Amino acid sequence: MALLRNDPAPLGTVLLLPGDGIGPEVMGEVRRIMDWFAKRQGISFETDEDLVGGTSFDRHGTPLTDTVMAKAQAADAVLFGAVGGPRYDDLPFEQKPERGLLRLRKELGLFANLRPAKVFDALVDSSSLKPELVRGLDIMILRELTGGIYFGEPRGIETLPDGQRRGINTQVYTTSEIVRVAKVGFELARQRDRRVCSVEKANVMESGVLWREEVQKLRDAEYPDVELMHMYADNCAMQLVRQPKQFDVIVTDNLFGDLLSDCAAMLTGSLGMLPSASLGAPGPDGRRKALYEPVHGSAPDIAGRGQANPIAMLQSFSMMLRYSFDQGAAADLLDQAIGRVLTGGLRTADIMQDGMARVSTSTMGEAIVRELDKAAS
Ligand code: IPM
Ligand code: MG
C-alpha cells in the first residue's frame, strides 16, 4: 500500500502560524502527522513557520508583520493555530492578537469559512445533548468571513458633544459578497444532502432582507436541484440545540456564523473537535487561497500544560489535504485514524468520560500515528 519514497517532491508550500496559548502545542502534533505522511506516503510539503498574534506583538509590536502577510500570500495554504490571551486584553484595537487573524482573512480574500460539525460515534456521550439527538450528526456551517459587521465602515468609538461616548459598527453586505458565498454553499450541498438553510435576521435588518432575496434568486436561477429554506438566526440557534440533524448546509453571515459555529461545536462534544477551512476565490491556476484553523481559541487557562485536544487542529490539516491539495484519500486515512483512537478509549481532558483513559496532547498525537501505521502497513 504505502510506498516508501526517500525524497518525495513537495505538493506545495505551507506556512505554519502556531500563534498563542495552546496553538504551538496543537501545531506540534500537526508536525508529527506531517512527518508521517512525508515518510510513509510520499505526501510532503515545503514548510515555513512564523509568528502571529500575541507572540508576534511581543517580538515586533504588531500581531502580524508585513513580512508574514507576504509569506501567507505566497503560500499554497496557511495552517493557523490560535491567537489571544489575557495579557493582550488591554492593548489598543489595532494591536490585539485577533487583528492578525482578521487581517489574514481579509487580505487573502478568504470569504468562505467551512465549519463542519461531525459527531464521532465514540463521542456521542460527550455532547451536552442527548445521544439520540447527535448520533450521526453531520452538518456544514458555511460562514461568510470577510464582510459584514466584522469589517463594515463606519466603525469606532467617538465622543459626543455632551461627553457621552458612542461605539459604532456597521453591518453591510453587497450582492456580490452574498452571491459568492451562497454559491459555495449550494456547491457544497450538491456533494451532500442537497439542502441549504440560509440564516439572517430579515425581520429586523435590511442587510438580512437583501441576503434572503439574493440567496433565493441564485437558487432559482442556478441551483433548482437544491432545496433552500430561510431561517432567522435566533430560531436557528434554538433549532441547533433542539433538533440539529434537521440541517445539512447552513449558510450565514460573519457574525451569526461565529455564534452558530461555537454552538454547533458543542454538539460534537467539545470545541476541541471542530476544524475549519477558510477559502478564497479560485485564482487563474484554479487554486484558492486557503487558511486552515481549529475553531477553538488559544485557551490560555490550559496553555503549556499538555492538556489541549489536538484533534480540531489535526482535522484542519486533514481539510487542507482535501481542499488545497486534492488528497482526499490521505484525509480519509487521517480522519479514520482519529476515529479509531477515540473508539479505543483515549480522551483528552475536554472530552474525558468515565471508563476512558485520559491522555495528554502528545500522547493523543502519538496514538493517532500508531493507528496510521496500522492502516498503512
Ligand atoms: C473564530 C474566532 C474569531 C472570530 C476571533 C478570534 C477573531 O472567534 O474564528 O470564530 O471572531 O472570527
Ligand atoms: Mg468564534
Side-chain angles (χ1 to χ4, degrees):
M1 260 187 76
L3 294 177
L4 242 184
R5 291 176 221 159
N6 288 328
D7 189 20
L11 295 180
T13 55
V14 178
L15 176 64
L16 310 185
L17 299 176
D20 308 326
I22 60 171
E25 292 162 70
V26 294
M27 194 65 84
E29 300 314 309
V30 169
R31 248 181 249 108
R32 192 193 296 279
I33 302 290
M34 282 180 122
D35 284 348
W36 186 87
F37 273 103
K39 285 204 194 94
R40 298 295 304 276
Q41 302 277 305
I43 295 175
S44 74
F45 303 96
E46 214 174 284
T47 60
D48 190 3
E49 184 174 328
D50 222 309
L51 302 176
V52 71
T55 48
S56 172
F57 175 79
D58 291 339
R59 174 82 66 86
H60 302 293
T62 168
L64 186 76
T65 62
D66 292 344
T67 312
V68 176
M69 188 65 235
K71 283 187 184 181
Q73 289 284 8
D76 292 312
V78 179
L79 276 171
F80 188 97
V83 287
R87 287 206 294 127
Y88 310 104
D89 281 351
D90 296 328
L91 285 177
F93 215 69
E94 281 312 309
Q95 292 171 351
K96 282 190 195 297
E98 290 78 3
R99 298 305 302 176
L101 175 58
L102 295 173
R103 181 175 172 203
L104 280 164
R105 289 175 178 171
K106 188 69 177 176
E107 291 189 22
L108 294 174
L110 308 174
F111 64 89
N113 181 216
L114 284 60
R115 299 189 161 189
K118 228 174 157 165
V119 171
F120 284 93
D121 279 343
L123 291 187
V124 286
D125 294 313
S126 299
S127 172
S128 46
L129 294 194
K130 295 189 194 91
E132 62 269 27
L133 288 181
V134 295
R135 187 172 288 112
L137 178 82
D138 178 0
I139 60 182
M140 176 70 85
I141 298 198
L142 175 61
R143 168 187 177 193
E144 197 292 324
L145 202 61
T146 52
I149 203 160
Y150 270 59
F151 298 97
E153 301 280 348
R155 64 186 300 154
I157 300 178
E158 63 185 22
T159 304
L160 299 174
D162 69 356
Q164 283 202 82
R165 295 201 304 153
R166 180 161 70 174
I168 305 160
N169 290 93
T170 305
Q171 163 81 340
V172 52
Y173 273 105
T174 59
T175 314
S176 61
E177 285 176 313
I178 298 167
V179 169
R180 66 182 180 176
V181 73
K183 256 186 205 260
V184 175
F186 289 122
E187 296 292 339
L188 285 169
R190 276 187 175 160
Q191 293 159 25
R192 301 170 48 99
D193 202 28
R194 293 183 181 255
R195 291 184 296 119
V196 168
C197 178
S198 171
V199 174
E200 29 55 19
K201 271 190 69 81
N203 51 345
V204 286
M205 295 159 76
E206 283 79 359
S207 60
V209 173
L210 183 74
W211 184 283
R212 182 175 287 224
E213 289 175 1
E214 292 300 331
V215 175
Q216 185 68 52
K217 254 198 266 172
L218 177 66
R219 183 264 171 197
D220 295 345
E222 291 180 38
Y223 299 94
D225 54 311
V226 179
E227 187 185 308
L228 171 66
M229 65 180 290
H230 303 276
M231 202 181 265
Y232 296 142
D234 52 347
N235 184 23
C236 182
M238 187 271 278
Q239 296 295 342
L240 267 177
V241 290
R242 191 184 77 93
Q243 203 60 263
K245 282 190 259 181
Q246 70 184 280
F247 296 107
D248 180 26
V249 176
I250 293 176
V251 183
T252 190
D253 77 11
N254 205 342
L255 182 60
F256 294 142
D258 182 43
L259 306 180
L260 295 173
S261 61
D262 264 30
C263 185
M266 271 321 286
L267 305 174
T268 69
S270 160
L271 258 179
M273 296 297 299
L274 208 78
S276 85
S278 305
L279 308 176
D285 59 353
R287 277 225 163 147
R288 295 171 182 272
K289 291 241 185 305
L291 179 147
Y292 300 85
E293 58 171 320
V295 171
H296 64 66
S298 57
D301 51 324
I302 58 161
R305 298 212 222 132
Q307 290 178 7
N309 183 351
I311 293 178
M313 184 78 239
L314 293 177
Q315 287 182 289
S316 302
F317 173 70
S318 150
M319 291 186 87
M320 180 193 92
L321 291 172
R322 206 182 291 284
Y323 293 108
S324 282
F325 298 105
D326 205 17
Q327 296 288 325
D332 289 344
L333 201 65
L334 176 54
D335 292 346
Q336 286 156 12
I338 293 170
R340 279 196 305 277
V341 167
L342 294 172
T343 306
L346 298 195
R347 300 283 186 274
T348 44
D350 57 313
I351 47 174
M352 185 56 193
Q353 293 159 271
D354 281 352
M356 301 292 152
R358 182 172 161 172
V359 299
S360 67
T361 311
S362 56
T363 304
M364 180 60 88
E366 285 158 11
I368 293 167
V369 166
R370 270 199 306 279
E371 284 300 332
L372 284 170
D373 273 336
K374 278 192 224 160
S377 60

